[in-house]
Amino acid sequence: MSSSEQPDVAVGARSFPKITEAGLDALRRRIGVKITDSVEPWCYEATRDNIRHYAHGIGDDNPLWCDPDYARNTRYGDVIAPPSFLFACDRFISGYCGGLPGVHAMWAGADWQWHKPIRRNVAVRTESWLKDLFEHQTRFAGRTVQQIYHVDFYDEMNGDLLADADSWVFRTERDTAREEGSKYDDVRERGRRVYDDDEIRAVYAKYRDEKIRGAETRYFENVEIGEELPPIVKGPMTVTGFIAFAQGWGGLYIRANRLQWKLIDRHPGTGIKNRYGIPDCPERVHWEDDFALEVGAPAAYDYGPERTSWMIHHLTDWAGDDGFVRASKTQIRRHNPVGDILHISGEVTGKDVVDGEGIVEVSQRAENQDGELSVIGAAKVRLPFRSVQE
């Protein structure tokens, strides 16, 4: 073959590994065992730049994260990190998973609890382990394994628990998803969405109208059950946007040159040949349509942790500087392929005083431009009292 020729791997032209009982048995033996050889995280510390890069990667320009002069006049006295920044501090919370080599992993949700704000320059130490496995039958890929990890996040200096979370991936057989999956038949039939100028202007108008609560304190007493949170929008989805998130979050398998070789040498299943015959990372489903089609997706699509970060962004915009997101559980329902627009809404569903804190419960929902459910969320937000509680 001459160097000018461009070999291509046609969809369906190769087979991928399957889920096996032996592989599942090996995974089950890992349940509850603390991981001691965890892969290096993208961020060890919440530096000013790491915080800003992450916030900008999710399209969040809240000055509490990004502007030290502004943050100096808040209760924190300096910038802090958005709650979802911790996705950058551990690979397992973000979808890195062991076992079943060559079987696709799709990050599908997280259940977070935050205990303390993530202050500037804090060094983060984590402990993680495989928590559980479940089998499901899905329209996307038939037999599917849900692989749940638990991660604790500590302030390395004083040992304080900053947050803890469960997150989960669904392990799917790429061949089955591509050849038999029916979940995205409607998307394939509709074809790729192309927007006109008026539609883009309408999206930009929504961005223009979004408000960061900021220094205007939202008090517990003034929140009513049934109150709607101001909606926010994300999109239209582009590969550029997915790369912006990867810049702040770090990705799972994005490596270059010798570091890429080291990863593939240790984990051969991460080196899947691209159209040029070069082993490349499975993460390229987020920027290569051809490979996304091979795993059963309708096109290149967004990252799961990215979408969860958007849901949390929705909460922090609403809560303001003096609010604190205590908990957030998000469940991914479908991919957001290139071209999708996500509309995130929320409603106050409860409020109570718990251990002296004013806790507001929020239900969230995110739908694409066609009204298809993309994410559901449930959160708890601590808000300050206007009056002193006895």
Side-chain angles (χ1 to χ4, degrees):
M1 180 181 295
S2 70
S3 60
S4 62
E5 292 177 335
Q6 297 184 358
D8 197 2
V9 179
V11 173
R14 56 181 165 188
S15 295
F16 293 98
K18 306 291 185 183
I19 297 170
T20 66
E21 291 305 319
L24 289 175
D25 287 342
L27 259 182
R28 291 187 183 101
R29 289 193 289 272
R30 303 185 187 189
I31 293 176
V33 179
K34 189 175 295 185
I35 298 167
T36 57
D37 60 345
S38 184
V39 67
E40 185 178 42
W42 183 242
C43 295
Y44 282 109
E45 299 175 357
T47 66
R48 176 186 174 185
D49 285 339
N50 283 346
I51 292 170
R52 177 172 53 86
H53 293 161
Y54 187 91
H56 285 182
I58 61 173
D60 185 352
D61 58 352
N62 190 329
L64 185 57
W65 334 129
C66 304
D67 185 345
D69 290 336
Y70 171 90
R72 194 171 295 117
N73 295 312
T74 69
R75 59 191 296 233
Y76 301 106
D78 200 350
V79 295
I80 62 172
S84 61
F85 171 79
L86 293 177
F87 274 124
C89 299
D90 183 89
R91 302 286 187 176
F92 286 94
I93 199 66
S94 301
Y96 191 92
C97 55
L100 304 179
V103 176
H104 196 64
M106 294 188 302
W107 195 93
D111 189 355
W112 283 94
Q113 294 79 39
W114 289 272
H115 307 288
K116 293 181 177 293
I118 308 156
R119 294 183 178 274
R120 180 177 175 180
N121 293 328
V122 67
V124 179
R125 176 179 64 85
T126 65
E127 295 180 359
S128 53
W129 58 88
L130 178 62
K131 183 176 180 178
D132 217 337
L133 293 175
F134 296 99
E135 289 195 46
H136 304 273
Q137 284 292 322
T138 67
R139 286 196 301 129
F140 178 73
R143 185 188 189 191
T144 299
V145 176
Q146 184 181 10
Q147 195 166 336
I148 304 173
Y149 284 89
H150 180 84
V151 183
D152 290 329
F153 299 83
Y154 296 94
D155 181 330
E156 188 174 59
M157 180 66 68
N158 58 30
D160 287 350
L161 182 64
L162 298 171
D164 62 89
D166 291 343
S167 75
W168 48 92
V169 295
F170 284 111
R171 308 299 299 276
T172 60
E173 295 179 349
R174 294 179 173 111
D175 297 336
T176 305
R178 180 185 66 247
E179 297 166 7
E180 301 177 24
S182 61
K183 184 170 184 176
Y184 294 105
D185 287 350
D186 54 344
V187 178
R188 297 184 184 98
E189 289 174 4
R190 286 199 301 267
R192 195 64 61 86
R193 180 71 178 267
V194 177
Y195 293 89
D196 61 33
D197 290 345
D198 288 340
E199 290 173 312
I200 295 298
R201 278 193 288 268
V203 175
Y204 288 174
K206 292 180 183 295
Y207 280 126
R208 184 180 61 245
D209 293 340
E210 289 179 6
K211 303 296 182 186
I212 300 170
R213 183 76 178 190
E216 184 183 354
T217 302
R218 186 179 297 281
Y219 291 104
F220 175 78
E221 293 92 333
N222 298 134
V223 173
E224 301 291 339
I225 295 175
E227 176 182 331
E228 294 185 356
L229 276 65
I232 67 171
V233 66
K234 297 292 183 179
M237 307 293 160
T238 63
V239 168
T240 301
F242 306 157
I243 291 173
F245 178 67
Q247 285 181 312
W249 163 65
L252 298 176
Y253 306 102
I254 300 174
R255 306 286 191 279
N257 307 312
R258 185 169 68 241
L259 296 183
Q260 182 193 40
W261 165 77
K262 284 185 174 181
L263 177 67
I264 294 172
D265 188 59
R266 184 179 181 188
H267 302 288
T270 64
I272 303 168
K273 287 187 176 181
N274 62 20
R275 61 168 53 197
Y276 303 102
I278 303 167
D280 203 350
C281 71
E283 203 168 335
R284 69 183 195 269
V285 292
H286 298 291
W287 55 83
E288 284 187 10
D289 278 350
D290 289 349
F291 189 54
L293 291 171
E294 283 198 79
V295 306
Y301 57 92
D302 64 334
Y303 285 97
E306 176 184 24
R307 208 179 316 177
T308 288
S309 297
W310 294 337
M311 302 292 274
I312 297 167
H313 175 193
H314 183 224
L315 297 170
T316 55
D317 269 6
W318 175 79
D321 296 346
D322 295 320
F324 181 74
V325 178
R326 273 290 191 193
S328 168
K329 182 177 182 178
T330 55
Q331 300 175 67
I332 306 298
R333 293 302 193 218
R334 64 188 293 126
H335 295 86
N336 286 332
V338 168
D340 267 14
I341 301 172
L342 202 63
H343 300 272
I344 302 173
S345 59
E347 179 183 345
V348 175
T349 55
K351 55 184 295 191
D352 199 2
V353 178
V354 181
D355 296 329
E357 296 183 339
I359 302 297
V360 175
E361 297 180 1
V362 176
S363 174
Q364 292 177 286
R365 184 179 180 91
E367 297 180 348
N368 70 9
Q369 69 286 342
D370 298 310
E372 296 163 332
L373 180 62
S374 175
V375 197
I376 57 174
K380 294 181 179 180
V381 180
R382 183 187 70 202
L383 294 178
F385 296 110
R386 181 179 291 277
S387 59
V388 177
Q389 299 294 297
E390 296 183 357

